[in-house]
């Protein structure tokens, strides 16, 4: 059951697509939560403080799940979180906000319920941070809908959210292959060389990503003539090798006379403005830039149609970046900073003054204060950015997704974004931004998969092997051993760091074994993904969601269920020779080095230390289950997978019926009728 409670005049975020599912009720009838403050005004006359504060007493044993992309664990108790999309590459336990806002919580205690706050504004969740037994939610900038979801099971609550907000985005099947990315892959020759190395080493790959250097002067929807002469031909050449080019698209548009996207957008009034209607200029990669007005439906659609420039060259996949939006500086703040710094000349810079001076420039990026400096034109109404901030990247990406459906009606396109809100999951996937090559981030990645799935982002993944910091052979391999289960599997890293293409670590056989294993699993992963998308289920689930009555399973955060048949337990500690695993029911363990090289044993329900050598990965098959397993001999990309030669990984010899989803991998028509029951 879903009930809807409206506070003030909500802004339509577009997240809810089936309002009829929820019953509207008066706020005075709100169950579970206590309203401790209600200063909500309508959005039109909202003052500085029109926040609503809810409180809930958390019983000792209650767990709190949700919030999607956050740097912490599954059970959110004991910390404070914010919905405040921000570009912050330092992902650690101290963070309260990352790039996305996913306003969904599940309280699992004496009472069990889910809540979804449909608001594009700021929200704070104090989940036992101030008082361990109190959940306190502060919704700022009045006007929002609160949905309360009651279902008997945890998965039921997530399913209900998805029914309310719509089915998850489905990428082409080739997007389940492996992709290689690097900020400073510099030109077509280098892209070709990297792709060829993977091919020559019999390491399957489907995608090469193009980071910002592919553009002409960081201008969206252009390609550098110098670095990528004859881009269309280059694309065709790679397509022949079954490799898809996936360029990045940034939110900021370079402010430059003669650049058609800028000139047309300016002429049509499609960019965000200052209060007086003048251009709002910020600094991002190209220097002075403007933001397309994602909240103006006409402008957002126009921006989406720009992707045609790339589609026309044969490109069919994109990653959207810097769309929180990330702001290095605003033009006004930069000028003020220059003036301020000049004032320090000739001064004695003591401790206070020196740090103050350093912060003038050092603290100039991504200030929340900037969100009050610019405006959107929402159907003729001027709306200040801070009131809708968290929706920006979502709206821009959703508009791109919709435009891509229009431009490519018969073929799916790959699209994922850094910033997101619930609702965008219908149009695109996400990746979790700038993580680091740290072992703890492997574990964070595992939790992110489960958290993202709860809020509908089934197509998701992390920068495998880590974006920031130096990758080592062992971290790359251990991370890949998790990445092979993640729908979005991409090795990506920052410039100026050690290169981390998998063939650079002198362990080709081990990396090849894992990449091949990924491809062997694609018939299973694709089937489970498609069924999850069609049935509003999750692909990655916490053990607690599957073994609800198991007290041990409730607290396991470093293992996951992947689809109906598999449990995984990745290694996330350096130099570990194995790890403790909780086995919630009798399972068959496969310890893989490659699809052909593995050993297997049965493990009873219980806790074990299980050995996992560096080149091994654990895959547990549930009792009575089986999964399709592809033959990967000669397989270099998803196009080479032969569904006529499927083998099986089985719990035991008994025949098992399996629902296989297969199609041409690109058609936009998807449905239950494509599921074929096979016996494994
Ligand atoms: C941002 C992205 C990262 C990308 C870089 C350059 O930091 O998160 O993935 O490589 O920008 O485009």
């Amino acid at each position: 059951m879903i009930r809807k409670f409206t506070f003030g005049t909500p802004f339509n975020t577009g997240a809810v697509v089936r309002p009829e599912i929820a019953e509207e009720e008066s706020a005075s009838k709100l169950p579970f939560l206590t309203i401790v403050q209600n200063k909500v005004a309508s959005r039109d006359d909202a003052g500085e403080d029109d926040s609503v504060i809810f409180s809930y007493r958390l019983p000792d044993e209650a767990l709190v799940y949700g919030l999607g992309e956050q740097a912490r664990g599954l059970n959110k108790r004991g910390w404070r979180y914010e919905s405040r999309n921000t570009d912050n590459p330092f992902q650690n336990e101290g963070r309260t906000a990352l790039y996305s806002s996913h306003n969904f919580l599940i309280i699992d205690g004496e009472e069990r319920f889910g809540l979804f706050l449909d608001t594009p504004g700021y929200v704070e969740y104090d989940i036992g941070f101030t008082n361990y037994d109190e959940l306190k939610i502060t919704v700022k900038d009045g006007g929002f809908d609160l949905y309360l979801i009651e279902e008997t099971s945890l998965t039921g609550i997530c399913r209900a959210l998805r029914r309310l907000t719509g089915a998850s985005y489905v990428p082409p099947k080739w997007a389940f292959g492996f992709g290689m990315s690097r900020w400073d892959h510099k030109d077509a020759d280098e892209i070709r060389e990297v792709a060829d190395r993977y091919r020559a080493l019999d390491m399957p790959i489907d995608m090469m990503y193009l980071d910002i250097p592919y553009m002409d002067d960081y201008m969206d929807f252009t390609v550098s003539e110098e670095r990528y002469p004859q881009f269309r031909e280059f694309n065709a050449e790679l397509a022949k090798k079954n490799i898809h080019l996936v360029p990045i698209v940034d939110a900021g548009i370079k402010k430059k006379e003669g650049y058609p996207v800028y000139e047309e957008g300016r002429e049509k009034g499609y960019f965000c403005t200052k209060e007086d209607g003048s251009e709002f200029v910020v600094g991002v990669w190209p220097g002075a830039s403007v933001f397309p007005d994602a909240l103006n439906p006409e402008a957002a659609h126009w921006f989406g149609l720009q992707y045609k420039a790339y589609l026309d060259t044969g490109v069919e996949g994109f990653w959207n970046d810097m769309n929180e939006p990330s702001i290095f500086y605003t033009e006004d703040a930069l000028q003020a900073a220059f003036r301020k710094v000049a004032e320090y000349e000739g001064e004695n810079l003591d401790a206070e003054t020196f740090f103050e001076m350093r912060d003038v420039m050092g603290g100039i990026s991504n200030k929340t204060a900037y969100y009050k400096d610019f405006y959107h034109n929402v159907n003729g109404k001027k709306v200040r950015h801070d009131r809708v901030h968290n929706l920006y990247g979502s709206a821009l990406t959703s508009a791109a997704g919709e435009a891509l459906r229009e431009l490519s009606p018969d073929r799916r396109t790959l699209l994922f974004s850094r910033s997101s809100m619930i609702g965008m999951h219908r149009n695109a996937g996400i990746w979790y931004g700038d993580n680091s090559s740290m072992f703890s981030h492997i574990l964070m990645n595992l939790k992110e998969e489960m958290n993202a799935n709860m809020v509908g982002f089934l197509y998701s993944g992390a920068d495998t092997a880590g974006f920031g910091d130096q990758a080592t052979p062992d971290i790359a391999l251990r991370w890949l051993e998790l990445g092979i289960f993640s729908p979005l599997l991409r090795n990506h890293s920052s410039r100026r760091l050690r290169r981390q293409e998998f063939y650079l670590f002198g362990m080709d056989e081990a990396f090849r074994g894992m990449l091949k294993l990924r491809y062997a699993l694609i018939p299973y992963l694709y089937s489970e993904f498609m069924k999850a998308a069609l049935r509003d289920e999750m692909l990655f689930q916490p053990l607690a969601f599957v073994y609800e009555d198991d007290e041990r399973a409730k607290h396991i955060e470093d293992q996951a269920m992947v689809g109906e048949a598999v449990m995984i337990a990745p290694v996330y500690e350096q130099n570990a020779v194995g790890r403790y695993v909780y086995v919630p029911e009798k399972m068959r363990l496969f310890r893989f080095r490659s699809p052909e090289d593995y050993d297997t044993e049965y493990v009873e329900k219980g806790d074990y230390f299980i050995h996992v050598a560096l080149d091994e990965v654990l895959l547990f098959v549930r009792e009575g289950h089986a999964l399709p397993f592809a033959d990967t001999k000669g397989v270099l990309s998803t196009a080479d997978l032969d569904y006529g030669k499927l083998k099986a990984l089985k719990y035991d010899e008994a025949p098992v019926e399996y629902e296989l989803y297969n199609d041409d991998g690109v058609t936009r028509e998807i449905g239950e009728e494509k599921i074929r029951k096979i016996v494994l």
Side-chain angles (χ1 to χ4, degrees), residues 183 211-212 248 285 319 321-322 418 431 434 467 492:
W183 181 343
D211 207 325
I212 46 176
I248 195 168
W285 302 123
W319 48 308
D321 193 22
M322 305 293 276
R418 195 170 68 177
W431 98 101
D434 300 349
F467 175 77
H492 178 50

Side-chain angles (χ1 to χ4, degrees), residues 68-251:
E69 184 186 87
Q70 282 287 355
R72 285 191 164 221
L74 292 181
N75 184 358
K76 293 291 183 303
R77 245 182 124 157
W79 192 243
R80 176 184 162 256
Y81 301 86
E82 294 173 290
S83 289
R84 177 175 57 83
N85 296 0
T86 184
D87 176 5
N88 190 332
F90 304 104
Q91 303 188 359
N92 59 43
E93 282 193 26
R95 292 272 76 79
T96 51
L98 293 175
Y99 311 89
S100 296
S101 293
H102 302 133
N103 291 308
F104 174 65
L105 279 187
I106 300 176
I107 286 76
D108 184 23
E110 276 155 25
E111 296 171 314
R112 178 184 271 179
F113 61 97
L115 66 88
F116 167 48
L117 281 163
D118 190 6
T119 170
Y122 177 89
V123 186
E124 185 197 31
Y125 300 88
D126 178 335
I127 311 178
F129 175 78
T130 307
N131 301 311
Y132 194 69
D133 64 355
E134 188 188 13
L135 162 69
K136 205 163 148 196
I137 305 173
T138 306
V139 192
K140 286 224 170 107
D141 295 333
F144 60 91
D145 288 322
L146 165 65
Y147 294 89
L148 282 182
I149 307 174
E150 281 173 88
E151 289 292 333
T152 46
S153 67
L154 297 165
T155 45
I157 294 176
C158 294
R159 198 182 309 120
L161 174 74
R162 203 92 59 77
R163 297 254 151 97
L164 182 71
T165 56
S168 297
Y169 159 79
V170 171
K173 195 202 270 180
W174 52 260
F176 287 78
F178 163 64
M180 186 68 221
S181 185
R182 170 81 179 182
W183 181 343
D184 57 3
H185 277 157
K186 59 179 185 305
D187 56 19
D189 284 344
E190 191 171 13
I191 294 285
R192 182 186 290 117
E193 191 189 307
V194 172
D196 287 350
R197 276 294 284 283
Y198 274 102
R199 279 279 179 272
L201 290 165
D202 189 23
M203 294 182 181
I205 181 167
D206 272 78
M207 287 159 280
M208 286 297 302
Y209 285 82
L210 303 179
D211 207 325
I212 46 176
Y214 84 92
M215 291 184 241
D216 176 17
D217 224 359
Y218 302 129
M219 285 185 287
D220 278 347
F221 313 115
T222 69
V223 175
S224 159
E225 274 284 327
E226 190 195 324
R227 291 183 291 280
Y228 291 85
Q230 300 180 308
F231 184 69
R232 186 192 304 260
E233 288 72 19
F234 177 57
N235 196 38
E237 173 198 324
L238 288 190
K240 257 194 224 130
K241 299 180 192 167
N242 293 317
I243 290 179
H244 299 259
L245 289 177
V246 184
I248 195 168
V249 176
D250 286 317

